Amino acid sequence: MISPRAYRVMLPALSAAAVLTLTGCDPDDVTAGDSGSAGGGQQAGSFGVSPLANADGTKPGLAPLTTEADRAAARKIVEKVSTKGRGPKTGYARDEFGYAWMDTADGVPLARNGCDTRNDLLHRDGRNLRFRAGSDCVVVALTLHDPYTGKTIEWRKAKAAEVQIDHVVPLSYSWQMGSSRWPESKRKQLANDVLNLIPVEGRANSAKSDSGPASWLPPNKQIRCAYAVRFAQVVIKYAMPVTAPDKQAMLRQCGG
């Protein structure tokens, strides 16, 4: 089992990470000296790593796909996605996917590492991390370069909802596309798989709700093709279809 701190050490480190100045936080709730840590090697001003180079989701963020070669590769991935009509939402409940941010969903990266899924994602994508006193898991402040909006967010746990963890393929969407018939263990995997999870601005995540790509796309147009690829990667991994309009929308984002 890999501890949260050992996991962060294994990630590529950023040089010259600035010390994050905390405002409005109780100094007794923050571990001194834990600032300046960088999750996943995400570079300042960037939105993370290309989904084409991050098939398991263990690297941070979602970088734009700008070259024609990358966009052609993206279309090939999306073309593999199967389609089906969206079923009813009858019976859907969040707890059908296990309790939120469980560390015990086997079969996905970072499971059973001693840190819950939400904090694993903040470790992965955040920069200038600060931790609760006595903890190497619970993040209380960070800098996030949000791919969905293009904004840089200085986040504090005191205003936790400003950064939310988005399920790229929403859980209720998956329910309507077949996960209602999966074993509970597979639903727990989907809910906690880092491939399907990105920390983003809370308002953008709320606006998305359980929409597929035909109904909602990130406001930041630069990363819409990358978002389509990540959506496709998740549904392919879990052998899940999308609606025909969603697939068409995904292809359009990458020039198809």
Side-chain angles (χ1 to χ4, degrees):
M1 184 176 73
I2 301 174
S3 71
R5 186 175 294 280
Y7 163 68
R8 290 195 300 277
V9 170
M10 290 166 61
L11 292 170
L14 275 176
S15 62
V19 173
L20 180 64
T21 300
L22 290 172
T23 58
C25 292
D26 183 347
D28 294 331
D29 192 41
V30 179
T31 301
D34 272 349
S35 59
S37 175
Q42 183 172 340
Q43 299 297 319
S46 76
F47 304 124
V49 176
S50 163
L52 300 176
N54 189 19
D56 64 359
T58 57
K59 299 173 185 175
L62 201 61
L65 301 178
T66 56
T67 70
E68 184 49 45
D70 281 352
R71 293 169 73 83
R75 291 192 294 273
K76 287 183 179 179
I77 293 172
V78 176
E79 285 165 357
K80 296 177 182 178
V81 174
S82 62
T83 61
K84 181 182 176 182
R86 191 163 175 166
K89 198 174 177 179
T90 307
Y92 169 75
R94 175 63 178 83
D95 60 11
E96 294 286 347
F97 295 78
Y99 63 86
W101 312 131
M102 61 193 307
D103 186 37
T104 55
D106 291 326
V108 293
L110 312 186
R112 298 185 184 275
N113 67 354
C115 191
D116 65 84
T117 304
R118 176 180 169 82
N119 279 292
D120 279 336
L121 271 293
L122 297 179
H123 295 169
R124 187 194 69 182
D125 288 19
R127 299 180 62 248
N128 304 329
L129 303 176
R130 296 294 299 265
F131 300 93
R132 177 181 294 168
S135 173
D136 62 0
C137 172
V138 180
V139 179
V140 297
L142 57 74
T143 301
L144 178 71
H145 300 302
D146 170 24
Y148 282 11
T149 63
K151 297 177 182 178
T152 295
I153 302 170
E154 300 295 341
W155 177 81
R156 308 291 182 269
K157 192 172 178 65
K159 295 184 178 180
E162 289 184 355
V163 167
Q164 298 177 14
I165 309 298
D166 178 48
H167 286 93
V168 176
V169 176
L171 301 184
S172 62
Y173 181 98
S174 81
W175 185 265
Q176 295 172 81
M177 301 308 293
S179 72
S180 59
R181 297 184 296 276
W182 295 356
E184 185 180 17
S185 60
K186 186 176 179 180
R187 290 198 294 268
K188 289 178 178 178
Q189 289 174 356
L190 178 68
N192 293 277
D193 191 339
V194 294
L195 182 66
N196 193 34
L197 297 167
I198 302 178
V200 298
E201 181 199 62
R203 286 185 296 274
N205 185 48
S206 297
K208 173 182 172 178
S209 186
D210 65 351
S211 300
S215 302
W216 185 92
L217 290 165
N220 179 12
K221 295 181 180 180
Q222 294 180 35
I223 59 96
R224 286 182 175 179
C225 178
Y227 176 82
V229 171
R230 177 53 53 80
F231 204 101
Q233 288 172 325
V234 174
V235 297
I236 290 169
K237 178 176 179 178
Y238 286 88
M240 187 193 316
V242 303
T243 68
D246 283 334
K247 182 174 181 178
Q248 292 164 6
M250 292 157 71
L251 285 169
R252 283 197 302 271
Q253 307 317 307
C254 300

